[in-house]
């Protein structure tokens, strides 16, 4: 019979409780004392450390390895950290991840980068679509996730394709061993109102369920911007036998935003000087709206053939429905009059559907007197989407001249979206086969060898551009971990990377795929009996033909922008991280990243090359139930070359450089457990009221949120 960790823990607890009530000397059925001298004794030891430390991740290789045994940089944003600092959306959560930069280009569209490259690989429970677009639309709630794993570097084993930046693996909540229910209510600045419920029930030895529900509505520091969000998640689990389990889960997220921007603020005047709008200034029309509904259904089967080998099969079906009415502002304003901008209205609708099947076996085997691990599997994914854009070329409302943004209240006549129908109808498929072997070469040396063969096809048309493409590639992976002591290891890894691109050049032809290599070496250590993990890594990444936005089209609407392939881009640098309990009662996650980008001056300029992330909480021993904490992120200065000053100015021909100085955003928290069931938490964000541009990823930008506050009351049964 195969025992999972929960079953083993229960059996151990039962056996210990039985032993506690037994006599000093065991007796048999005849009440005679039993001689225990020759009985084999089994001692079960283990530990679970709550807080900011995590012991293992699965997204790096599907081998359930301790973080110290993975030959790549790994961070985990734990549930405790998300709760402490009210990290309710993935943007806020990833702000806390070592080496990850969150590029907020618009209110409802976000990109993510690491080591100078876009993050394009996202997974749920280790399963994902590796070619999904790297930008996230709307607000993705974290309430349904137990933790978020960030595997930095090229993930050649599990995704096979994608940039050598990072893989984000969202681990969903599952039924717990005991029945439980948590209900919390939050109220904060900008009329932020949130109610969240999370419950788990174990019906019997066979069936268990967990459900999460969230409703949240809030205004914003941005003029006219409001959001309403509803989330529902249910996970049903059935242990059919001791060896076989089934699960069915579904998540529903409905984000309804009004007053959202499309594009952002102009960052310079016609004379080249920088604009400086109020943080609340918004380019959105008062009728703008963006509704995003996401549904994701996952079916899982797990079967243990014996104590060493397991099969896991997953089917995922995900749909997204987006309905928008958008307003874009482009041009360059005059410094004296603040005029010269033009509006641009569009109705955009998107429907996409993705299906994924992943089947693999994993287990242990003995060879040459040593135990090794192996994973082998196949993967099939299909993503289809249709979208459409409508404009107004008939009335004067489709492209209105804009007034001064400083005083504009968003009032502009709503266009009649009946003209210029354009759109896409695209299907992308990927078939893959992969394997990973972890081999014990000698007592202290483990080598991980693996590879993935990908066959990727696309067909269809997008905005009059043919999308037909067909690529195949084998991606090798090699890693090694050497243990100097059980607590200190050194590692090295190498993989190639491959990315099929859908960006088009100036004549509408797709760019060739990106190819490159990624190398990483480092050391990791478990300190204080495993309560703290520290790591130091050096990485060297090279890519060729990566798509770069043509600066001459940077100020145009997205569907009019073009790209070119860079001859070569490299990123080299180091990362340092510690996570866990560094002192009794003091939990911390500290990460520092420093790297240099060569080969693309534009990317190097707008990408922060130095990032410091710091989160810490302290539980007072003298005041039971009281904790305080701080969450801080710092980045160095960034800039973007916006062209040159036009003729007619005294400084004609001078370069226009938009700059954002280095800055830090500091959040504080305090919480108190009033009773065993009732707790109160208070959070203060950006307590220094720092004003900063969220991102220079695009030629436009908008400002981050000023100081804001919230209070949360939680009840747990």
């Amino acid at each position: 019979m195969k025992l999972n960790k929960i079953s083993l823990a229960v059996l151990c607890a039962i056996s210990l409780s039985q032993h506690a009530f037994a006599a000093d000397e065991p007796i048999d059925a005849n009440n005679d004392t039993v001689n225990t001298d020759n009985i084999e004794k089994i001692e079960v030891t283990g530990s679970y450390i709550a807080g900011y430390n995590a012991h293992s991740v699965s997204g790096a290789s599907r081998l359930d390895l301790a973080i110290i045994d993975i030959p790549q940089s790994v961070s985990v944003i734990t549930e405790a950290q998300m709760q402490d600092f009210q990290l309710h959306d993935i943007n806020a959560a990833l702000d806390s991840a070592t080496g990850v930069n969150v590029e907020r280009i618009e209110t409802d569209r976000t990109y993510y980068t690491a080591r100078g490259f876009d993050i394009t690989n996202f997974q749920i429970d280790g399963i994902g679509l590796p070619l999904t677009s790297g930008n996230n639309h709307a607000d993705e709630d974290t309430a349904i996730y137990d933790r978020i794993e960030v595997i930095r570097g090229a993930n050649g084993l599990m995704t096979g394709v994608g940039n050598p930046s990072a893989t984000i693996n969202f681990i969903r909540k599952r039924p717990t061993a005991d029945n439980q229910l948590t209900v919390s209510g939050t109220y904060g600045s900008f009329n932020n109102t949130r109610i969240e419920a999370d419950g788990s029930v174990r019906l019997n030895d066979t069936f268990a369920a967990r459900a999460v529900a969230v409703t949240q509505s809030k205004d914003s520091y941005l003029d006219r911007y409001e959001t309403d969000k509803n989330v529902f998640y249910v996970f049903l689990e059935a242990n059919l036998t001791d060896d076989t389990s089934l699960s069915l889960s579904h998540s529903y997220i409905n984000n309804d935003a009004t007053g959202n921007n499309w594009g952002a603020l102009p960052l310079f005047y016609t004379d080249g000087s920088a604009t400086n709008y109020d943080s609340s200034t918004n380019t959105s029309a008062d009728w703008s709206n963006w509704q995003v509904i996401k549904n994701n259904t996952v079916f899982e089967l797990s079967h243990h053939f014996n104590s060493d080998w397991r099969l896991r099969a997953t089917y995922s079906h995900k749909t997204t429905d987006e309905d928008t009415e958008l307003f874009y502002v482009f041009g360059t304003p005059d410094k004296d009059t603040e005029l010269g901008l033009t509006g641009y209205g569009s109705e955009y609708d998107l429907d996409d559907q993705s299906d994924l099947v992943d089947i693999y076996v994993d287990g242990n085997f003995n060879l040459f007197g040593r135990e090794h691990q192996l994973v082998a599997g196949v993967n099939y994914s299909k993503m289809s989407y249709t979208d459409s854009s409508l404009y107004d070329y008939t009335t004067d409302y489709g492209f209105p001249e804009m007034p001064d943004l400083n005083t504009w209240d968003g009032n502009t006549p709503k266009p009649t979206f009946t003209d210029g129908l354009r759109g896409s109808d695209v299907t992308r498929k990927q078939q893959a086969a992969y394997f990973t072997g972890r081999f014990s070469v000698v007592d202290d040396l483990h080598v991980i060898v693996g590879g993935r063969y990908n066959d990727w096809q696309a067909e269809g048309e997008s905005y009059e551009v043919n999308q037909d493409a067909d690529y195949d590639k084998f991606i090798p992976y090699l890693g090694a971990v050497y243990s100097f002591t059980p607590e200190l290891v050194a590692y090295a890894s190498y993989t190639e990377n491959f990315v099929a691109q859908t960006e088009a050049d100036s004549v509408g032809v797709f760019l060739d795929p990106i190819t490159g290599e990624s190398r990483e070496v480092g050391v990791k250590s478990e300190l204080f009996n495993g309560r703290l993990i520290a790591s130091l890594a050096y990485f060297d990444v090279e890519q060729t033909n990566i798509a770069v936005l043509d600066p001459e089209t940077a100020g145009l609407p997205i569907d009019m922008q073009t790209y070119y392939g860079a001859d070569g881009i490299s990123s080299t640098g180091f990362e340092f991280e510690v996570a866990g309990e560094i002192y009794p009662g003091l939990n911390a996650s500290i990460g520092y990243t420093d790297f240099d980008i060569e080969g693309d001056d534009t990317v190097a300029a707008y990408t922060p090359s130095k990032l410091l992330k710091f989160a810490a909480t302290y539980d007072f021993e003298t005041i039971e139930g009281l904790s305080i904490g701080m969450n801080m992120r710092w980045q160095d200065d960034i800039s973007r070359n916006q062209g040159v000053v036009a003729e007619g100015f005294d400084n004609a021909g001078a370069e226009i450089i938009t700059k954002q100085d280095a800055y830090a955003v500091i959040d504080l928290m305090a919480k108190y457990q009033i009773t065993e069931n009732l707790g109160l938490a208070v959070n203060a964000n950006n307590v220094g009221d720092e004003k900063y541009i969220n991102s220079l990823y695009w030629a436009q930008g908008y400002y981050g949120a000023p100081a804001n506050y919230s209070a949360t009351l939680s009840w747990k049964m």
Side-chain angles (χ1 to χ4, degrees):
M1 178 178 67
K2 176 66 179 180
L3 297 177
N4 58 32
K5 295 180 180 178
I6 294 175
S7 301
L8 183 60
V10 172
L11 289 177
C12 291
I14 292 173
S15 63
L16 288 173
S17 63
Q18 290 174 337
H19 178 73
F21 288 100
D24 290 341
E25 295 290 336
I27 58 177
D28 60 18
N30 298 319
N31 290 326
D32 294 327
T33 301
V34 177
N35 185 345
T36 62
D37 292 341
N38 296 321
I39 295 179
E40 181 182 5
K41 299 178 178 64
I42 301 176
E43 181 180 3
V44 179
T45 62
S47 64
Y48 173 77
I49 302 172
Y52 294 179
N53 190 4
H55 295 271
S56 64
V57 297
S58 59
S61 65
R62 298 228 170 94
L63 298 170
D64 192 16
L65 299 177
I67 289 178
I68 198 172
D69 292 326
I70 298 172
Q72 285 186 244
S73 299
V74 178
S75 299
V76 179
I77 306 168
T78 64
E79 184 180 17
Q81 187 173 348
M82 289 189 284
Q83 289 180 348
D84 285 342
F85 297 103
Q86 301 294 297
L87 307 179
H88 291 313
D89 62 85
I90 65 171
N91 289 350
L94 292 177
D95 270 333
S96 302
T98 298
V100 175
N101 188 48
V102 180
E103 302 278 7
R104 293 175 173 86
I105 57 164
E106 297 169 338
T107 53
D108 289 75
R109 177 162 35 191
T110 310
Y111 288 82
Y112 311 94
T113 65
R115 299 182 175 180
F117 300 96
D118 285 353
I119 299 175
T120 55
N121 289 329
F122 296 89
Q123 300 177 342
I124 295 178
D125 293 340
I127 306 295
L129 290 173
L131 290 181
T132 302
S133 175
N135 65 79
N136 179 51
H137 292 186
D139 180 5
E140 191 87 23
D141 206 275
T142 60
I144 69 175
Y145 300 122
D146 178 72
R147 66 185 186 275
I148 302 174
E149 302 174 350
V150 181
I151 302 100
R152 291 185 295 281
N155 195 354
L157 291 179
M158 296 324 306
T159 57
V161 295
N163 290 325
S165 48
T167 297
I168 311 298
N169 188 22
F170 300 98
I171 305 300
R172 298 173 304 155
K173 291 179 177 178
R174 294 171 181 254
T176 56
D178 300 318
N179 296 343
Q180 64 179 38
L181 174 64
T182 302
V183 180
S184 63
T186 300
Y187 184 78
S189 301
F190 319 123
N191 292 319
N192 179 16
T193 304
R194 177 185 175 95
I195 299 175
E196 178 180 334
D198 179 357
S200 182
V201 59
R202 189 158 293 278
L203 303 174
N204 50 44
D205 292 339
T206 301
F207 297 103
R210 186 163 187 176
V212 177
V214 175
T215 182
Q216 181 174 6
S217 63
K218 60 181 177 179
D219 299 333
S220 171
Y221 68 97
L222 291 172
D223 296 335
R224 302 177 296 284
Y225 184 50
E226 300 177 9
T227 56
D228 286 290
K229 176 175 61 176
N230 291 285
V231 179
F232 180 72
Y233 167 74
V234 62
F235 191 104
L236 306 176
E237 180 182 73
N239 295 313
L240 302 182
T241 69
D242 293 332
D243 301 314
T244 305
S245 63
L246 289 173
S247 69
L248 178 65
S249 59
H250 183 80
S251 62
Y252 166 84
I253 302 175
N254 186 335
N255 289 277
D256 194 356
T258 57
N260 54 279
N261 57 28
W262 181 37
L265 297 168
L267 299 176
F268 59 94
Y269 291 110
T270 50
D271 68 353
S273 60
T275 58
N276 186 23
Y277 297 101
D278 290 338
S279 297
S280 61
T281 307
N282 192 357
T283 58
S284 171
D286 53 11
W287 45 260
S288 296
N289 62 89
W290 192 333
Q291 184 181 51
V292 180
I293 298 176
K294 300 178 181 179
N295 284 279
N296 188 21
T297 303
V298 180
F299 175 81
E300 294 179 345
L301 167 67
S302 179
H303 176 73
H304 290 271
F305 298 104
N306 50 46
S307 60
D308 290 323
W309 287 92
R310 176 188 66 160
L311 174 132
R312 183 190 177 197
T314 302
Y315 168 69
S316 171
H317 176 75
K318 184 176 182 180
T319 62
T320 302
D321 179 16
E322 299 188 23
D323 296 294
T324 74
E325 292 175 316
L326 306 172
F327 191 75
Y328 186 86
V329 174
F330 65 95
T332 307
D334 179 84
K335 188 174 185 179
D336 296 326
T337 66
E338 295 285 349
L339 302 179
L341 298 173
T342 302
Y344 171 32
S346 176
E347 178 184 287
Y348 176 77
D349 296 324
L350 168 70
D351 291 289
D352 77 34
Q353 174 178 302
S354 63
D355 293 276
L356 181 143
V357 177
D358 186 90
I359 303 173
Y360 70 89
V361 293
D362 69 300
N364 305 319
F365 66 97
N366 289 299
L367 184 66
F368 302 122
R370 295 185 177 276
E371 186 173 80
H372 316 278
Q373 296 171 269
L374 181 67
V375 173
V378 293
N379 178 287
Y380 171 82
S381 63
K382 177 182 178 181
M383 189 272 285
S384 302
Y385 73 90
T386 59
D387 65 2
S388 63
S389 295
L390 283 168
Y391 313 92
D392 182 355
Y393 300 133
T394 304
T395 72
D396 294 331
Y397 305 153
F399 297 86
E401 293 185 4
M402 295 297 298
D404 180 356
L405 289 180
N406 293 284
T407 58
W408 185 50
D409 61 0
N411 184 18
T412 184
K414 183 177 178 180
T416 56
F417 297 119
T418 57
D419 302 329
L421 177 63
R422 306 176 66 205
S424 306
D425 188 352
V426 177
T427 299
R428 297 173 186 167
K429 298 178 183 179
Q430 182 181 211
Q431 296 85 230
Y434 56 88
F435 72 94
T436 305
R438 182 175 185 262
F439 301 97
S440 176
V441 180
V442 295
D443 287 343
D444 299 320
L445 176 64
H446 288 85
V447 174
I448 297 179
V449 178
R452 181 180 177 105
Y453 173 78
N454 284 282
D455 186 1
W456 184 84
Q457 305 101 29
E459 59 183 8
E461 186 174 281
S462 177
Y463 291 86
E464 294 83 50
V465 177
N466 187 292
Q467 300 284 302
D468 294 351
D470 191 345
Y471 304 109
D472 61 88
K473 178 76 173 179
F474 177 78
I475 299 98
Y477 181 93
L478 178 64
V481 178
Y482 182 78
S483 300
F484 295 104
T485 69
E487 296 81 22
L488 177 64
V489 305
Y491 72 87
S493 62
Y494 167 86
T495 188
E496 297 176 4
N497 49 274
F498 163 82
V499 184
Q501 303 188 88
T502 57
E503 290 84 1
D505 61 18
S506 58
V507 295
V509 177
F510 277 171
L511 299 179
D512 290 334
I514 300 170
T515 57
E517 298 178 332
S518 179
R519 293 167 285 270
E520 182 175 328
V521 295
V523 293
K524 298 182 182 182
S525 180
E526 286 188 338
L527 307 171
F528 310 134
N529 294 321
R531 294 193 300 272
L532 184 74
I533 295 179
S535 63
L536 175 64
Y538 172 82
F539 57 87
D540 180 5
V541 181
E542 297 178 2
Q543 279 196 322
T544 59
N545 203 49
I546 189 170
V548 176
L549 179 64
D550 187 339
E552 295 184 1
T553 67
L556 299 177
I558 297 172
D559 60 346
M560 298 174 65
Q561 294 174 349
T562 61
Y563 295 79
Y564 65 90
D567 292 336
I569 297 180
S570 65
S571 173
T572 57
F574 69 91
E575 291 172 330
F576 171 75
E577 183 176 38
V578 294
E581 190 177 33
I582 61 178
Y583 182 81
L586 179 61
N587 267 280
S589 174
I590 306 170
Y592 178 72
T593 304
D594 191 328
F595 62 93
D596 293 312
I597 298 173
E598 295 183 359
D600 191 304
D601 294 338
T602 300
V603 175
Y606 72 65
T607 303
S609 60
K610 296 178 177 62
L611 294 167
L612 175 63
K613 308 293 180 75
F614 176 90
T617 57
Y618 180 69
D619 300 330
F620 284 90
E621 184 177 357
T622 55
I623 308 177
E624 186 177 356
L626 177 64
S627 302
I628 61 172
M630 182 179 77
N631 189 27
M632 185 269 287
R633 57 184 171 94
W634 172 89
Q635 69 174 52
D636 65 341
D637 57 287
I638 55 176
S639 63
R640 188 177 186 102
N641 189 319
Q642 305 276 29
V644 298
V645 178
E647 296 295 332
F649 295 91
D650 293 338
N651 59 339
E655 288 189 334
I656 303 173
I657 305 295
T658 299
K659 295 182 179 180
Q660 170 57 61
D661 294 334
Y663 66 90
V665 176
I666 300 174
D667 305 332
L668 301 177
M669 62 77 65
K671 64 179 180 179
Y672 181 67
Q673 196 65 31
I674 302 170
T675 68
E676 182 180 355
N677 304 105
L678 189 65
L680 175 66
V682 178
N683 290 77
N685 301 317
N686 192 8
V687 293
D689 203 24
E690 185 77 23
K691 183 181 181 181
Y692 59 94
I693 302 172
N694 278 305
S695 173
L696 292 179
Y697 188 92
W698 282 1
Q700 299 174 321
Y702 72 105
Y703 297 100
N708 60 93
Y709 312 90
S710 68
T712 301
L713 191 65
S714 300
W715 178 81
K716 184 174 183 178
M717 181 179 69

